[in-house]
Amino acid sequence: MEEYSNRVAVITGGSKGIGRAIAFKFAEEKADIVIFHYDPDNSASEQTLKMLKEIGVNVRSFKVDVSNKEEVDSAFNEVFSEFKRIDVLINNAGITKDTLLVRMNEKDWDMVLDINLKGVYNCTHAVLRNMIKQKRGWIVNISSVVGQIGNVGQANYAASKAGIMGFTKSVAKEVAMRGIKVNAVAPGFIDTEMTAKIPEKVKDEFLKQIPMGRLGTPEEVAEVVYWLCSKSASYVTGQVIHVNGGMYM
Ligand code: NAP
C-alpha cells in the first residue's frame, strides 16, 4: 500500500508492547518512525530500533518522560528540525500503579495521571500547531477498556484512561475543520509486559469476562490504530474504538 511513504509517525512508549507493534506497522507501510521511551536502561528500545532500521525506514528514538513538558517540547523541536514534519502522533506511553483507593498514596495517583493523561496533553499540544499549519494530521490516543467500565485497584489508571476519552472528543471537535483527525483506541486485555505482572489467578478471572476467551495481541491493536490513520477511515474522528475480544460492548 505504501500510503505512508515520506510521512513521519511519532509513537510514545514505542520501545515495547503495543507501541512497538504500532511502530512496526507504520514502518512496514514505509513511514519514518520516531519513538519516545523512558527507561534509560531499556534494552528493548535498542532492539526495537535495530529491527525497525532493518525494515529500511528512517528511525530515531528519544529518551523522553512524556509527563515532563520541557523534555517533550525539546524532543519535538528536534524531531521537527530533523524530519521537518509530523503527520501522525500516537499517544501510547502509559503505566499502572495498582492498589485499592484506601491504600493509594498521592504519589501513585499523581504519577499515573501525569504520565497517562498529562503526557497526552503535553505531546498533543507540542504537535498540534504544526499539524494545523500542514492542514493534515492524525492523532490516536491509547485509552483502555478500564476507562469505560472501571476496575478494582485501578482508580488512578481508570481515571487517566477515561480522561483520555474526553480529551480525544474535545480536541477532535476543535481541529476537525483543520484536516486533523483525533481518535482513541481502548484495548481490553492485551498480552504485554504490563499484563505479564498480573497474577495468574486474577488473569483467569479476566479471561472469564472475555467472550473470545483469550488475550489480544499488540498487533491486533496496531492494525486498528493504523486503520484510523489510513484513507479507509477518512470520515472517522472523535471516536473511541474498542479492541477487546467482546469484553465490553
Ligand atoms: P508496556 O509494555 O509496559 O509499555 C509501556 C511503554 O510506555 C514503554 O515503551 C515505556 O517505555 C513507555 N513509558 C512508560 N512511562 C513513560 C514515560 N514517562 N515517558 C515516556 N514513555 C514511557 O505497556 P503496553 O501494555 O504496551 O501498554 C501501552 C499502552 O496501552 C499504555 O498506555 C497502556 O495503558 C495501554 N493499554 C494496555 C493494555 C494491556 O492490556 N496491555 C490494555 C489497555 C490499554 P520504557 O520501557 O522505556 O519505560
Side-chain angles (χ1 to χ4, degrees):
M1 177 175 358
E2 301 202 359
E3 195 177 341
Y4 274 88
S5 185
N6 300 322
R7 297 199 196 178
V8 181
V10 177
I11 298 122
T12 72
S15 60
K16 57 191 182 191
I18 294 171
R20 174 165 56 191
I22 295 169
F24 279 122
K25 178 66 192 171
F26 278 92
E28 277 157 17
E29 303 297 340
K30 304 290 173 239
D32 291 339
I33 304 294
V34 178
I35 282 173
F36 287 0
H37 72 100
Y38 181 55
D39 181 358
D41 302 322
N42 183 357
S43 57
S45 84
E46 294 297 314
Q47 180 70 6
T48 302
L49 270 188
K50 190 168 164 272
M51 288 164 76
L52 282 167
K53 279 179 187 157
E54 281 165 12
I55 298 177
V57 292
N58 291 322
V59 183
R60 271 278 263 136
S61 96
F62 290 83
K63 192 214 153 288
V64 184
D65 177 0
V66 291
S67 68
N68 183 320
K69 181 81 174 124
E70 256 175 57
E71 277 186 32
V72 167
D73 285 346
S74 127
F76 274 109
N77 284 341
E78 269 194 64
V79 177
F80 279 119
S81 61
E82 193 172 327
F83 290 88
K84 311 296 174 217
R85 56 184 302 113
I86 293 173
D87 302 284
V88 173
L89 168 65
I90 312 296
N91 282 310
N92 164 81
I95 61 157
T96 52
K97 289 272 171 203
D98 297 351
T99 191
L100 295 176
L101 188 71
V102 286
R103 292 193 205 126
M104 190 178 288
N105 60 38
E106 192 181 350
K107 190 167 152 262
D108 286 349
W109 171 270
D110 285 345
M111 196 173 185
V112 169
L113 270 290
D114 282 352
I115 293 174
N116 294 10
L117 185 56
K118 189 180 168 206
V120 174
Y121 157 76
N122 285 344
C123 295
T124 306
H125 188 255
V127 300
L128 207 54
R129 222 177 273 276
N130 269 74
M131 282 186 176
I132 289 170
K133 275 195 210 140
Q134 289 168 193
K135 299 190 173 68
R136 194 176 70 168
W138 291 264
I139 298 171
V140 180
N141 302 319
I142 306 301
S143 178
S144 167
V145 66
V146 165
Q148 192 84 44
I149 64 176
N151 195 23
V152 172
Q154 291 198 309
N156 50 0
Y157 183 77
S160 71
K161 295 300 183 180
I164 286 178
M165 293 181 191
F167 176 90
T168 299
K169 292 174 192 189
S170 303
V171 181
K173 285 185 177 178
E174 289 181 19
V175 297
M177 292 290 280
R178 311 286 197 144
I180 301 161
K181 295 182 188 72
V182 188
N183 289 289
V185 168
F189 199 171
I190 310 299
D191 192 6
T192 68
E193 266 182 39
M194 185 178 271
T195 46
K197 40 186 185 191
I198 298 173
E200 282 307 312
K201 232 175 98 186
V202 180
K203 251 187 218 175
D204 288 344
E205 283 309 308
F206 267 123
L207 280 173
K208 287 185 201 153
Q209 297 169 38
I210 304 172
M212 284 178 68
R214 65 169 176 85
L215 272 62
T217 65
E219 290 72 25
E220 286 172 315
V221 179
E223 287 293 334
V224 177
V225 171
Y226 178 75
W227 172 76
L228 281 168
C229 304
S230 72
K231 281 188 196 135
S232 310
S234 54
Y235 200 49
V236 181
T237 197
Q239 303 304 308
V240 178
I241 311 290
H242 290 272
V243 182
N244 61 26
M247 187 177 174
Y248 165 80
M249 299 182 187

